[in-house]
Amino acid sequence: MTPNPADQAVIADFHALSGFGETERGGVQREAGTEPDGGQRAWLTQWLSSRGFTVEFDQIGNQFGMLELVPGAPYVLVGSHLDSQPRGGRYDGAYGVLAAAHAANRLAGLWRDAGRTPQYNLAVVNWFNEEGSRFQPSMMGSSVYTGKLDAETALATRDLAGVTVREALEDTGCLGSGRGPEAACYAEIHIEQGRILDEEDTTIGLVESTWAANKYHLVVHGEQSHTGSTVMADRQDAMLGAAHLVVAAREIADAFTETPLHTSVGQMLIHPNSPVVVAREVRLHLDLRSADENVLAEADAMLHERFPEIEKKARVRIEKATAHSWGVLSYNPDGVKLARSAAEDLGLSHRHMMTIAGHDSTNMKDIVPTVMLFVPSVDGISHNEKEFTKDEDICAGVDLLTEVVSRLADGDLTG
Amino acid sequence: MTPNPADQAVIADFHALSGFGETERGGVQREAGTEPDGGQRAWLTQWLSSRGFTVEFDQIGNQFGMLELVPGAPYVLVGSHLDSQPRGGRYDGAYGVLAAAHAANRLAGLWRDAGRTPQYNLAVVNWFNEEGSRFQPSMMGSSVYTGKLDAETALATRDLAGVTVREALEDTGCLGSGRGPEAACYAEIHIEQGRILDEEDTTIGLVESTWAANKYHLVVHGEQSHTGSTVMADRQDAMLGAAHLVVAAREIADAFTETPLHTSVGQMLIHPNSPVVVAREVRLHLDLRSADENVLAEADAMLHERFPEIEKKARVRIEKATAHSWGVLSYNPDGVKLARSAAEDLGLSHRHMMTIAGHDSTNMKDIVPTVMLFVPSVDGISHNEKEFTKDEDICAGVDLLTEVVSRLADGDLTG
């Protein structure tokens, strides 16, 4: 079957977008505020401007492509993020922004042709730094937009090379001012980052709630010494303490066989990280996630029981620098119904599901009615260059997002 | 007791030298080829030149202060290294270079006053990059001098920021040419980096041999994925594999209760090291050391037995990138006798011992007769800002080194 021109345009644009920061193995590397991130943002500005959208950056570099049809009315925001992990996949975030741009552009055309205006204005959004690999915390742009994070604090955050968010935004020409357009509601589409839709051969995931999560930033304090000559019993080895934490996190996950618990340590900053020095300090991020708050609480207790034992084994002190946690949080149930009805009308297979990963929609749902949609990701591969979603799912997702945003713009969810 | 002027000069110079790269907590940070390393090398050039020594740098930045008294004769080399670990101690290496300078200068005066010439010429040496924290391998300068490492390979080595040894040497004005003066024999004095002399209240350690060591550069290969959403069973977590190696190394050390085995992992390079990405690759240095070659062989076998088990647990592949090992290696026994006799003549308490840490003398002993001496280090603290050696031991060490070098220059060891 030859794809229709609208689908062809989505696929062609997705290929163009995937060229920014492309890696040898078919992935992308465009961390927030880097040169390829600036490049793709300029590309999006051009794409939106040439189609009649007014593009603006807010105080934290969120990029908005606005279509003001009802002077003074709030906006339906639709989008995701273009930034990626180092050697990340092409679809994560970028697909959602591109789908939003195509959905908004289609609706603009439909409304123009029909000579009618919706209840709300419409804006495509590309949130700044959702990934949080270069600058922590993740979901930075939507956190500032929703008032959960102070803009000045975010702008002063430094990457490991000492560059601030403010400098990175200035360097890429993406530092604006103000707080962006006022939102009436929000919609986002994303690849699943799990195997459920792929294994069940279902096209659409209707996200009902988040997994619960406890995230810790831990500092293991030891004492620097010579790796060779220091007597083993004298060592206060921060690296050993950190290694025990990594192993403990995995053992705790393996203890839950009925309801899955996900645990991980993805980053360690080791000081001084010299081959011949016992580490004096290791800073690491450890997180626990589950769909069941009771499982999470039990796992958390198990982790805390391990701390004194690890402190004794490695002769270190474990400091909890920051802790960030959330429960199983619902998306707007009427939004789920609206999206299900739209999927049914388009004849797309669908199922309700939870999201394990965080998204900008996780922030947005706390301030406005929010719809979150998933499309399948083959083998559930995520944060990896091999991430892949089929063109037919890409296109079906854009069709559904267009229908959902159309209904949101007409006030179907907000009355 | 008021110190004599010669001792006062040693202590005063040691304080001056400790100002280069000094840290808030009384240590020093002057990794090889950094600005403070360049500063202290310029200071040493000035110190030696003003006392009649000819200062030259060789092709790998080893610094020589030469006193040519017997035209064309080879040199007694005496020295150590001025570079330090990050937040290292003031004594490690630097004491040995300063002691060498004072010993050489005293002998120059004695020979001048006595109107006689020794059998050999005399040169103070400050070896480049003994520590190996910024550029690997450690003992780089003496490895090139002794022909164990190719100069071009060493010059092309990069630090983590991509700077080459050649660039660092050029930037600090320390890149010379040639192979330095020809050595007839070598002497070095160093702090013990262990507790034995301190606990036994002995002033001098006469080093008979090295511990045996097996050093591995291991690469743990995993697969990048999302820390939150990836099903635990699907993960191929390089960080988990590395953590198991760190824990295994410690468990293996703890298994040897009779004869000590020292094991450690001091450095890990984690990719991509993002808080929300399961690591695809971790590169680490793991080493095993023992005074007993049989213990080392047994420990090494235990380590290798753990590899497949860890590969299975973390679903990773462990690659041995490089391996470097040595046995229990003797220093020249006549050199030990010569040093013992000198210590007895000076009335200094002494004992025979082994060195666990590597030193430039470990390289030099393979090409010329070499004497290695230790002075006590309080509580055996090493590679730490709290490293401390008493002034009286500092001064006794210089006295002994002067006597040893005097005998070496007169050909007592080389006939």
Side-chain angles (χ1 to χ4, degrees):
Chain A
M1 194 176 75
T2 311
N4 65 48
D7 286 351
Q8 282 177 334
V10 170
I11 300 304
D13 282 335
F14 186 72
H15 283 290
L17 184 55
S18 301
F20 291 95
E22 69 179 333
T23 63
E24 283 177 19
R25 292 194 185 80
V28 292
Q29 177 150 333
R30 43 196 196 200
E31 289 180 276
T34 58
E35 185 272 329
D37 188 34
Q40 65 186 346
R41 292 174 141 238
W43 179 89
L44 181 64
T45 293
Q46 169 62 25
W47 195 100
L48 290 165
S49 302
S50 67
R51 286 164 178 82
F53 292 77
T54 304
V55 177
E56 283 183 16
F57 294 93
D58 73 3
Q59 58 182 345
I60 191 63
N62 294 317
Q63 181 177 23
F64 297 94
M66 295 176 292
L67 199 67
E68 193 176 18
L69 302 167
V70 190
Y75 284 74
V76 174
L77 292 189
V78 55
S80 190
H81 62 94
L82 290 179
D83 71 307
S84 86
Q85 291 289 334
R87 297 204 203 165
R90 290 178 290 159
Y91 298 83
D92 186 342
Y95 165 59
V97 174
L98 193 72
H102 276 267
N105 188 49
R106 285 184 198 174
L107 289 172
L110 289 171
W111 291 327
R112 194 170 49 236
D113 293 349
R116 75 173 188 94
T117 51
Q119 183 176 335
Y120 295 115
N121 290 310
L122 182 55
V124 175
V125 57
N126 165 28
W127 301 108
F128 176 69
N129 184 31
E130 192 272 349
E131 294 292 0
S133 55
R134 180 179 178 196
F135 299 108
Q136 284 84 47
S138 59
M139 304 190 275
M140 182 178 273
S142 57
S143 293
V144 170
Y145 180 86
T146 55
K148 297 178 177 190
L149 177 64
D150 174 64
E152 287 307 315
T153 306
L155 289 166
T157 304
R158 291 178 189 277
D159 68 8
L160 295 180
V163 178
T164 62
V165 165
R166 181 188 296 279
E167 288 160 353
L169 285 172
E170 282 171 349
D171 287 352
T172 49
C174 296
L175 185 60
S177 60
R179 295 164 188 277
E182 184 196 345
C185 51
Y186 178 67
E188 178 168 357
I189 194 164
H190 203 281
I191 60 162
E192 182 198 339
Q193 303 179 282
R195 317 170 154 269
I196 299 172
L197 294 175
D198 185 43
E199 286 183 351
E200 294 187 356
D201 204 17
T202 298
T203 307
I204 300 296
L206 307 163
V207 180
E208 288 183 303
S209 65
T210 63
W211 274 32
N214 287 2
K215 293 187 164 199
Y216 297 109
H217 187 192
L218 303 175
V219 187
V220 184
H221 298 277
E223 185 73 48
Q224 196 168 312
S225 63
H226 193 294
T227 50
S229 59
T230 311
V231 173
M232 295 309 289
D234 284 352
R235 297 181 187 214
Q236 299 171 250
D237 187 344
M239 181 91 87
L240 178 64
H244 276 300
L245 284 169
V246 172
V247 171
R250 177 65 196 221
E251 286 171 352
I252 292 168
D254 291 344
F256 291 86
T257 49
E258 304 265 311
T259 305
L261 173 83
H262 289 186
T263 65
S264 69
V265 174
Q267 185 185 64
M268 275 195 202
L269 302 178
I270 302 157
H271 303 284
N273 212 24
S274 166
V276 281
V277 179
V278 172
R280 67 172 177 271
E281 182 184 291
V282 177
R283 309 178 77 87
L284 60 90
H285 292 264
L286 189 156
D287 56 65
L288 311 169
R289 309 191 202 210
S290 177
D292 182 329
E293 292 182 3
N294 294 322
V295 164
L296 187 67
E298 203 182 326
D300 198 77
M302 288 165 76
L303 176 69
H304 281 80
E305 274 166 27
R306 300 294 288 272
F307 286 176
E309 173 196 312
I310 292 169
E311 287 179 319
K312 197 175 161 198
K313 265 188 193 166
R315 301 181 73 232
V316 295
R317 183 170 61 82
I318 299 171
E319 178 200 352
K320 225 189 285 181
T322 61
H324 184 204
S325 68
W326 58 85
V328 171
L329 301 173
S330 295
Y331 280 80
N332 185 304
D334 290 334
V336 178
K337 275 185 209 159
L338 180 151
R340 188 179 60 213
S341 156
E344 279 164 4
D345 290 354
L346 295 180
L348 296 171
S349 61
H350 55 84
R351 62 163 285 163
H352 289 201
M353 61 196 310
M354 299 177 82
T355 179
I356 309 178
H359 298 287
D360 293 306
S361 71
T362 326
N363 278 330
M364 289 300 288
K365 73 169 172 31
D366 295 339
I367 66 159
V368 289
T370 289
V371 175
M372 182 77 203
L373 305 169
F374 281 166
V375 290
S377 176
V378 174
D379 293 333
I381 291 170
S382 172
H383 287 184
N384 184 300
E385 293 164 299
K386 294 176 195 148
E387 188 183 85
F388 179 68
T389 292
K390 292 175 198 152
D391 285 354
E392 63 198 71
D393 293 328
I394 288 289
C395 294
V398 176
D399 292 345
L400 177 61
L401 188 66
T402 306
E403 184 56 33
V404 165
V405 171
S406 172
R407 295 180 189 196
L408 292 177
D410 284 339
D412 286 11
L413 188 53
T414 44
Chain B
M1 195 176 77
T2 311
N4 66 47
D7 286 352
Q8 281 177 333
V10 169
I11 300 304
D13 282 337
F14 185 71
H15 283 289
L17 184 55
S18 301
F20 291 95
E22 67 179 335
T23 62
E24 283 176 18
R25 291 193 186 80
V28 292
Q29 177 149 333
R30 42 196 197 200
E31 289 182 274
T34 58
E35 185 272 329
D37 189 32
Q40 65 187 345
R41 292 172 142 240
W43 180 89
L44 181 65
T45 294
Q46 168 61 24
W47 195 100
L48 290 165
S49 302
S50 67
R51 286 163 179 83
F53 292 77
T54 304
V55 178
E56 281 183 18
F57 293 92
D58 74 3
Q59 58 182 345
I60 191 63
N62 295 317
Q63 181 177 21
F64 298 94
M66 297 176 292
L67 199 68
E68 192 177 20
L69 303 167
V70 191
Y75 284 73
V76 174
L77 291 189
V78 54
S80 189
H81 62 94
L82 291 180
D83 71 308
S84 87
Q85 292 289 335
R87 296 203 203 166
R90 290 177 291 159
Y91 298 85
D92 185 342
Y95 166 58
V97 174
L98 193 71
H102 276 267
N105 189 49
R106 286 183 199 175
L107 289 172
L110 289 170
W111 291 327
R112 193 170 50 236
D113 294 347
R116 75 175 189 91
T117 50
Q119 183 176 336
Y120 295 115
N121 289 310
L122 181 56
V124 175
V125 56
N126 165 28
W127 302 107
F128 176 68
N129 185 29
E130 193 272 348
E131 294 291 359
S133 55
R134 180 180 178 193
F135 300 107
Q136 284 85 48
S138 58
M139 303 191 277
M140 182 179 272
S142 57
S143 293
V144 171
Y145 180 88
T146 55
K148 297 178 177 190
L149 177 64
D150 175 61
E152 286 307 314
T153 305
L155 289 167
T157 304
R158 291 179 191 275
D159 68 9
L160 294 181
V163 178
T164 63
V165 166
R166 182 188 295 280
E167 289 160 351
L169 285 172
E170 282 171 349
D171 287 351
T172 49
C174 296
L175 184 61
S177 60
R179 295 163 187 278
E182 184 196 346
C185 50
Y186 178 67
E188 179 169 357
I189 194 163
H190 203 282
I191 59 162
E192 183 198 338
Q193 302 179 283
R195 319 171 153 269
I196 299 173
L197 294 176
D198 185 43
E199 286 182 352
E200 295 186 355
D201 205 17
T202 299
T203 306
I204 300 295
L206 307 163
V207 180
E208 289 184 304
S209 65
T210 63
W211 273 32
N214 286 2
K215 293 186 166 202
Y216 296 109
H217 188 190
L218 303 174
V219 187
V220 183
H221 297 278
E223 185 73 47
Q224 197 168 313
S225 64
H226 194 293
T227 51
S229 59
T230 312
V231 174
M232 295 309 291
D234 284 352
R235 299 182 186 212
Q236 299 171 251
D237 187 345
M239 181 91 87
L240 179 65
H244 276 300
L245 285 169
V246 172
V247 171
R250 177 65 196 221
E251 287 171 353
I252 292 168
D254 291 344
F256 291 87
T257 49
E258 306 263 312
T259 305
L261 173 84
H262 289 186
T263 65
S264 69
V265 175
Q267 186 185 63
M268 276 196 200
L269 302 179
I270 303 157
H271 303 285
N273 212 26
S274 165
V276 282
V277 179
V278 173
R280 68 172 177 270
E281 183 183 290
V282 176
R283 309 179 76 88
L284 59 91
H285 292 264
L286 188 156
D287 55 67
L288 312 169
R289 310 192 200 209
S290 176
D292 182 329
E293 292 181 4
N294 294 322
V295 164
L296 188 67
E298 203 181 325
D300 198 78
M302 288 165 74
L303 177 69
H304 282 81
E305 275 167 27
R306 300 292 288 272
F307 285 175
E309 172 195 315
I310 291 169
E311 287 179 319
K312 199 173 159 199
K313 265 188 193 165
R315 302 183 69 232
V316 295
R317 182 169 62 82
I318 299 172
E319 177 200 353
K320 224 189 286 181
T322 61
H324 184 206
S325 68
W326 58 84
V328 171
L329 301 174
S330 293
Y331 280 80
N332 185 303
D334 291 333
V336 178
K337 276 185 210 159
L338 180 150
R340 188 179 59 214
S341 155
E344 280 164 4
D345 290 353
L346 295 181
L348 296 171
S349 58
H350 56 83
R351 62 163 284 162
H352 289 201
M353 60 196 311
M354 298 177 83
T355 178
I356 309 177
H359 297 286
D360 294 305
S361 71
T362 328
N363 278 330
M364 289 300 289
K365 74 172 172 28
D366 295 339
I367 66 160
V368 289
T370 290
V371 175
M372 182 75 202
L373 305 169
F374 280 166
V375 289
S377 175
V378 174
D379 292 333
I381 292 170
S382 173
H383 287 184
N384 184 299
E385 293 164 300
K386 293 178 196 147
E387 188 183 85
F388 179 70
T389 291
K390 291 176 198 152
D391 286 353
E392 61 197 74
D393 293 328
I394 289 287
C395 294
V398 176
D399 292 345
L400 177 62
L401 187 66
T402 306
E403 184 56 33
V404 165
V405 172
S406 171
R407 295 179 189 197
L408 294 177
D410 285 337
D412 287 10
L413 189 55
T414 46

